[in-house]
Amino acid sequence: MTLPTATRAPAVTRDAWLRRFRPLDTAAVRLVCFPHAGGSASSYLRFATTLAPGGIEVLAVQYPGRQERRSEPFARSVEELVEALLPELRQWTGWPFALFGHSLGATLAYETARRLAAYGEAPVHLFLSGRRAPTVPRRDTGHLLDDAELIAMISRLQGTDPALLQDEELLRMVLPAIRSDYEMAGAYVHRPGAALRMPVTVLTGDSDPNVCVQDAQRWSEVAAGDFRLWVMPGGHFFLNDRTRSVCTIIEEALEHAH
């Protein structure tokens, strides 16, 4: 593919929020990736490896309260997390960049795109995966489940290694992050505003128990620019099994980004 002229990375002095698994100082475009509920930046390691040869660098967002940031308090709301991330992210907005978010990460990517657009620093593309549109009336209540019910729900989504769900020590480490992120999702209220004018690509699994195709299609209601919906084989975590296919969609969408 033909990507835009490579651009050198900015000098970043503090890097708590963004992980660069495959740094490309002269990347043609950078893809900022937001993890799912309970997820961490490392969930995008395969994206970074797959996209790097084509000149796309992945910047994976690391939420507070997990991995090397586990001593920090969890974000209590989507608005709080986006507000804290923006100063770090805006160091990169002078160069071509796009946003990608899966599940809760899609909500965070969407709200981040809205804020950046208000600053006149909109991404060249917005990718939203595994999430119903914010105009669909539904509340997330996973944080209200007890531990056994929460583990059962996570298991049904098939995005977590079954061995982890049997390891009590690991569960004690990850369940607080999952519960906190579900609480953040449950507290989220969409506030209507100007529709996004950058191209928007939505991806969803054809057997996702949380997102039907119609609810994914409704992202078009907040998109004023080019809109594309991809329905992929698989469930909520279809992108784990379809990494190459998803990355091809990203590459083709960003081919003429500038």
Side-chain angles (χ1 to χ4, degrees):
M1 67 178 180
T2 303
L3 282 166
T5 304
T7 56
R8 186 164 296 279
V12 177
T13 56
R14 188 163 65 91
D15 198 27
W17 282 93
L18 301 173
R19 294 290 164 269
R20 301 177 70 192
F21 297 116
R22 291 288 299 272
L24 298 175
D25 285 343
T26 56
V29 62
R30 293 182 171 86
L31 182 69
V32 181
C33 294
F34 293 75
H36 57 278
S40 62
S42 59
S43 64
Y44 287 107
L45 178 58
R46 291 175 64 192
F47 271 43
T49 302
T50 304
L51 292 170
I56 300 173
E57 180 183 358
V58 167
L59 303 179
V61 177
Q62 185 73 299
Y63 305 147
R66 58 216 73 197
Q67 293 186 335
E68 73 279 3
R69 300 189 70 185
R70 60 186 176 275
S71 63
E72 301 178 41
F74 299 119
R76 293 172 296 180
S77 68
V78 167
E79 293 78 12
E80 177 187 314
L81 194 150
V82 171
E83 185 69 25
L85 169 64
L86 279 174
E88 302 293 323
L89 187 53
R90 293 185 72 193
Q91 296 184 72
W92 299 86
T93 57
W95 294 261
F97 75 100
L99 305 181
F100 182 102
H102 181 70
S103 195
L104 171 64
T107 300
L108 290 162
Y110 165 66
E111 288 295 342
T112 300
R114 297 177 90 186
R115 290 292 304 278
L116 290 172
Y119 287 125
E121 301 172 356
V124 297
H125 207 106
L126 176 61
F127 298 91
L128 303 163
S129 170
R131 191 69 171 169
R132 62 190 178 276
T135 51
V136 177
R138 177 179 162 185
R139 295 295 293 261
D140 292 281
T141 57
H143 62 288
L144 301 177
L145 302 174
D146 63 31
D147 286 353
E149 292 170 329
L150 184 56
I151 292 168
M153 184 176 72
I154 296 166
S155 179
R156 286 195 298 272
L157 294 178
Q158 299 179 336
T160 305
D161 185 343
L164 186 151
L165 299 178
Q166 302 299 320
D167 189 318
E168 292 187 9
E169 183 175 353
L170 283 174
L171 281 174
R172 282 196 298 271
M173 293 176 61
V174 301
L175 276 182
I178 295 171
R179 188 177 297 281
S180 176
D181 285 356
Y182 278 15
E183 185 172 5
M184 176 165 48
Y188 172 69
V189 177
H190 181 247
R191 292 174 173 81
L196 297 175
R197 299 196 173 275
M198 77 284 297
V200 174
T201 294
V202 173
L203 305 96
T204 193
D206 61 4
S207 57
D208 188 335
N210 285 356
V211 186
C212 67
V213 173
Q214 291 79 7
D215 286 353
Q217 175 66 41
R218 287 186 62 178
W219 279 105
S220 63
E221 297 172 8
V222 297
D226 293 340
F227 179 85
R228 181 75 183 270
L229 172 66
W230 291 86
V231 181
M232 311 289 288
H236 188 64
F237 284 98
F238 66 90
L239 74 173
N240 290 348
D241 298 322
R242 305 279 173 179
T243 299
R244 178 64 266 180
S245 296
V246 172
C247 287
T248 296
I249 290 170
I250 293 169
E251 289 171 337
E252 292 177 352
L254 295 180
E255 185 172 1
H256 301 295
H258 57 82

